[in-house]
Amino acid sequence: MELKHKIEELRAELNKFAMYSRLADQKLVELSQKLDQLLNEFHEIKETLNRQKEK
């Protein structure tokens, strides 16, 4: 599955879950952390590609 697709799916799941749970709910925290990891990974890939284009 493409990274962008994973991010969008997880973001939708997180938003849906957030509507029905407390902000301190452990699953909500875990989903948020996973989304953060994917976003960081996406950003790193994007930065690497940008650096390669500059060469």
Side-chain angles (χ1 to χ4, degrees), residues 6-19 21-41:
K6 284 182 182 180
I7 289 170
E8 291 305 318
E9 281 191 344
L10 187 56
R11 181 177 285 145
E13 182 181 354
L14 180 64
N15 286 332
K16 188 169 82 172
F17 191 80
M19 286 190 206
S21 65
R22 298 175 298 117
L23 291 178
D25 187 290
Q26 185 60 35
K27 181 174 180 180
L28 186 62
V29 171
E30 290 171 6
L31 289 171
S32 179
Q33 289 173 339
K34 178 64 176 170
L35 181 59
D36 287 345
Q37 289 172 341
L38 291 177
L39 289 169
N40 287 336
E41 183 179 337

